[in-house]
Amino acid sequence: MTGWPDIDITDAEAVADRRDEVVAAVRDHTGQIAYALARLQGGDYGQRTVDTDGGAWTVKYEAGDLEYLRFDPKSGSEVYVVSTKRPPEPEPLATALADYDAFVAAFDDYVTSLEGVLDDSPTEFPDPAPVDGVVAERDRIVGAIRDTCDAIAHALRRYEGGDYGTFATRVDGTRWELKWDEDGTSYLRVGGEGGIYLLSQYAPPAAPDLREYAPQFSGFVEAYNEYVDELESDLATVTL
């Protein structure tokens, strides 16, 4: 086929190069805005939309760095002026940049509106109450519960054999479960799945939970003792 006009590739390359140059400049400038937003909003990631007469500009940042700058004009399609994917087409980019100064001015107005909002905020506060006494009492109670559960765990390991197992019972209708392993108590949980861990390998129980369930722990031990008594009774009937 003949008669087609020649295509000047250098013209397209020049437009693309200019586009990339402009986007890089916008990225550097909006990056300062993203960093300022991260400091103002106090987080590793977030976004903010600023309105102008021409449309809405959204700045999204992560770890204080610009992730994208999007312009949603009042007429026409949105354009990602800066993004982590592909660069914008030249014509939508030009349309967006015609409103960029208005975006910067609107952001400046937003920052100005925040000036002085903390002038009357206090910087002196009452001293917090110490928790040393509460923590010490909690640790004392938890330690006593753990000592008893470890004794039960070692006894169960001797009787049942193996390196791990569980003992479960009900106290006043509530399920209590002791899980043990070769080191002793793995956990003591009240209430089944999603219940309260009076003992665990991770963190101690909250003081209100301990206050509620510690008085019932004696019932758990009594249930275990009854279990042992039944075992002894069963073996007493065996004759050789």
Side-chain angles (χ1 to χ4, degrees):
M1 184 179 294
T2 61
W4 289 96
D6 293 334
I7 298 176
D8 191 347
I9 300 299
T10 59
D11 289 347
E13 291 178 346
V15 172
D17 289 344
R18 178 56 181 165
R19 186 266 320 277
D20 293 344
E21 179 183 351
V22 170
V23 169
V26 174
R27 181 187 297 276
D28 289 343
H29 188 266
T30 312
Q32 300 175 50
I33 294 177
Y35 177 73
L37 273 177
R39 293 190 62 195
L40 280 172
Q41 298 186 173
D44 290 335
Y45 57 90
Q47 68 180 42
R48 184 159 190 91
T49 298
V50 176
D51 294 322
T52 66
D53 291 340
W57 291 81
T58 300
V59 179
K60 185 175 182 182
Y61 61 88
E62 184 170 348
D65 294 329
L66 176 66
E67 187 168 350
Y68 67 69
L69 173 65
R70 185 181 67 224
F71 177 56
D72 187 10
K74 291 189 175 179
S75 63
S77 302
E78 66 179 18
V79 54
Y80 284 81
V81 179
V82 177
S83 77
T84 57
K85 297 180 181 179
R86 64 181 185 181
E89 295 182 4
E91 187 174 354
L93 174 61
T95 300
L97 291 182
D99 194 62
Y100 187 78
D101 285 350
F103 156 63
V104 176
F107 175 77
D108 289 344
D109 289 342
Y110 163 66
V111 174
T112 301
S113 70
L114 299 177
E115 293 179 358
V117 295
L118 298 175
D119 287 352
D120 296 328
S121 298
T123 56
E124 296 182 0
F125 308 98
D127 293 333
V131 298
D132 296 355
V134 175
V135 171
E137 183 64 7
R138 178 200 64 197
D139 292 347
R140 184 189 68 80
I141 296 173
V142 170
I145 292 175
R146 181 172 292 278
D147 288 344
T148 302
C149 286
D150 283 345
I152 293 174
H154 290 309
L156 288 171
R157 186 185 180 199
R158 288 182 62 194
Y159 169 73
E160 297 186 4
D163 292 332
Y164 57 89
T166 59
F167 171 74
T169 187
R170 289 191 174 273
V171 178
D172 295 332
T174 301
R175 178 181 172 86
W176 288 61
E177 181 178 84
L178 169 66
K179 183 176 181 181
W180 52 270
D181 56 31
E182 56 186 357
D183 295 325
T185 303
S186 178
Y187 68 70
L188 176 63
R189 185 176 64 201
V190 185
E193 293 290 338
I196 302 299
Y197 286 83
L198 292 185
L199 299 176
S200 79
Q201 298 173 333
Y202 302 103
D209 293 332
L210 188 60
R211 179 179 60 195
E212 179 178 357
Y213 292 109
Q216 302 176 31
F217 179 65
S218 294
F220 170 76
V221 178
E222 290 171 359
Y224 165 76
N225 290 339
E226 291 176 1
Y227 168 72
V228 173
D229 289 343
E230 290 175 0
L231 291 178
E232 292 179 349
S233 175
D234 291 342
L235 290 176
T237 62
V238 176
T239 59
L240 297 177

